[in-house]
Amino acid sequence: MPHSRPPLHNDLSTYESLPDGPVDFPPAAEPPVTGTTPALQAVEAWENWLAHEKRVSARTVSAYRHDVLQMLGFFANHCGGELAVQGLARLKLADFRAWMAHEARRGEEAALRRHRAPDPDSLARSRARRLSSCRSFFAYLEREYAINNPAVSLLRGPKLKTRLPRPLSPEESRLAPQGISEQAQDIPTALRDEALFTLLYGCGLRISEALGLDVGDLERAGGSALLVRGKGGKERYVPLLPIVKHALAAWRKVHPTPAPGAPLFCGVRGGRLNPGVTQRVMRHWRRLQGLPDSATPHALRHAFATHLMQNGADLRAIQELLGHASLSTTQVYTHTDEQRLMAVWQKAHPRADQASATPSAPASPPTHRPAS
């Protein structure tokens, strides 16, 4: 599906959400040089490169574009005029630090406007993403325009806390599909919801992957597995458990348009089911069950991986089932299973039981005799 976006024009009005009022930072030491390639034109080319060559998801492209336009808007105020690509090479480390400080202040002010206490970890993650967007853009400029600014590599991102997955318990995960389906107003909707949430937990899919499936995808791998398109268009096979196949078959019998090219999970108007509908029905169910806000559709994916690991599944196998590009992403689930790891250590290590043993009296030192 081609990436869509509003057109960019070469004027300052296209910069998004510029700060109100003057910027509280000194102007750059040197104004940007005049160049023939406007920065906004480079942003458009970079955006197309991300979407079509790197195959980055549309949401990530949109977020990166927003971050870079915010950055360019700040520098336009900071430097006293619109930037050309060649001018970006003249920015100093102090200019980038001023931008990062501005982003930190802007995030705190946004939280206060919503009458919330600023969350340091959330603000740090926002700044880290903006810095990632900046680095990606400047790496593209170096590749395509031979624009090299060494100051970007000297920027240090904020320290982030490791966020551990918060999965549902095995019992909650088993009860979720049926409990959510019982909230439906009619039988087809109940069968659809039960099939969807059984699939999320039984196969560990992302909600976007499940809702992106078509009816014909159920037959692409012969019915014993499901060929799933994940991030970046990468495909992987996920085995279908009997309970998952049974739930999908029951839903398919009442599917309003079961043609191969139709969405597997559709809404009342026949179009692809909106993720917001899925989140809303699970939100209602978790409130009835007294579960925390972390009980989301994505928590079923966390439960899938955590419960596999608790039952001795190989980390590499879990990586392939989840579609993670890097094993380091999957390794976060080892931190959620510390109790099992301690039990394995106690059972397997030869000296594990000696930590609690009562120390014995030291033996008498041997009597040394002269060698004969």
Side-chain angles (χ1 to χ4, degrees):
M1 180 178 180
H3 177 64
S4 60
R5 47 166 166 65
L8 294 175
H9 302 286
N10 187 21
D11 61 74
L12 288 178
S13 63
T14 60
Y15 293 114
E16 300 179 3
S17 304
L18 292 178
D20 297 330
V23 179
D24 299 332
F25 299 107
E30 298 178 1
V33 299
T34 303
T36 57
T37 305
L40 290 175
Q41 182 178 331
V43 171
E44 184 173 13
W46 168 65
E47 185 183 357
N48 288 328
W49 178 76
L50 286 175
H52 302 299
E53 293 194 33
K54 295 289 287 183
R55 298 183 65 83
V56 176
S57 70
R59 291 183 62 181
T60 301
V61 172
S62 178
Y64 272 28
R65 175 181 184 267
H66 175 268
D67 293 342
V68 169
L69 288 178
Q70 289 276 0
M71 178 185 69
L72 294 178
F74 171 81
F75 287 138
N77 268 346
H78 187 60
C79 300
E82 185 181 354
L83 295 171
V85 167
Q86 290 77 5
L88 297 176
R90 304 280 295 274
L91 294 170
K92 307 298 183 184
L93 180 59
D95 301 323
F96 287 101
R97 285 176 173 168
W99 165 60
M100 293 295 288
H102 167 73
E103 288 297 325
R105 186 188 66 181
R106 195 165 66 89
E108 293 173 355
E109 292 175 348
L112 293 174
R113 283 197 300 270
R114 294 193 295 268
H115 304 288
R116 298 177 182 175
D119 179 9
D121 184 60
S122 178
L123 295 177
R125 290 184 182 277
S126 296
R127 295 198 303 276
R129 194 198 73 185
R130 284 165 174 73
L131 181 56
S132 177
S133 305
C134 169
R135 286 172 174 163
S136 174
F137 180 59
F138 273 87
Y140 176 80
L141 293 181
E142 183 174 2
R143 172 185 168 182
E144 298 295 331
Y145 297 90
I147 299 297
N148 180 26
N149 191 323
V152 177
S153 62
L154 299 177
L155 287 171
R156 292 185 178 181
K159 293 183 179 179
L160 304 177
K161 297 180 181 178
T162 301
R163 286 184 174 178
L164 296 180
R166 292 181 286 181
L168 297 177
S169 70
E171 184 65 18
E172 292 164 350
S173 301
R174 286 193 293 266
L175 292 176
Q178 182 178 356
I180 292 173
S181 68
E182 289 174 352
Q183 302 172 164
Q185 301 295 321
D186 53 75
I187 293 178
T189 302
L191 292 174
R192 181 201 68 188
D193 290 350
E194 184 169 3
L196 173 59
F197 285 95
T198 303
L199 177 66
L200 292 179
Y201 177 52
C203 294
L205 302 191
R206 301 176 179 94
I207 185 63
S208 59
E209 294 170 345
L211 298 184
L213 292 170
D214 293 332
V215 174
D217 291 331
L218 297 178
E219 307 298 336
R220 291 180 65 188
S224 61
L226 193 62
L227 185 59
V228 180
R229 290 177 292 272
K231 288 186 175 181
K234 297 180 180 178
E235 294 186 333
R236 69 184 188 277
Y237 284 99
V238 179
L240 285 175
L241 299 173
I243 190 173
V244 177
K245 290 195 291 185
H246 177 76
L248 290 173
W251 157 237
R252 192 174 180 180
K253 289 180 180 179
V254 298
H255 195 292
T257 54
L264 177 58
F265 298 105
C266 57
V268 292
R269 298 179 181 177
R272 202 170 296 276
L273 187 63
N274 191 300
V277 175
T278 306
Q279 294 162 357
R280 184 169 62 249
V281 295
M282 189 162 188
R283 182 164 58 244
H284 182 63
W285 174 77
R286 76 173 180 234
R287 288 173 178 171
L288 294 176
Q289 299 297 316
L291 298 176
D293 291 346
S294 59
T296 63
H298 199 71
L300 290 170
R301 174 174 163 89
H302 292 324
F304 168 83
T306 302
H307 301 161
L308 283 178
M309 182 159 291
Q310 288 174 347
N311 287 280
D314 178 74
L315 195 62
R316 286 284 185 184
I318 297 176
Q319 177 193 1
E320 293 183 10
L321 291 171
L322 292 177
H324 286 162
S326 172
L327 186 63
S328 61
T329 307
T330 315
Q331 284 175 333
V332 70
Y333 292 102
T334 62
H335 298 290
T336 66
D337 196 23
E338 293 180 355
Q339 185 176 2
R340 186 188 70 86
L341 293 177
M342 287 299 295
V344 171
W345 175 79
Q346 289 283 353
K347 181 179 180 180
H349 199 283
R351 306 191 67 177
D353 59 343
Q354 296 188 9
S356 59
T358 303
S360 58
S364 301
T367 303
H368 294 279
R369 297 180 180 178
S372 56

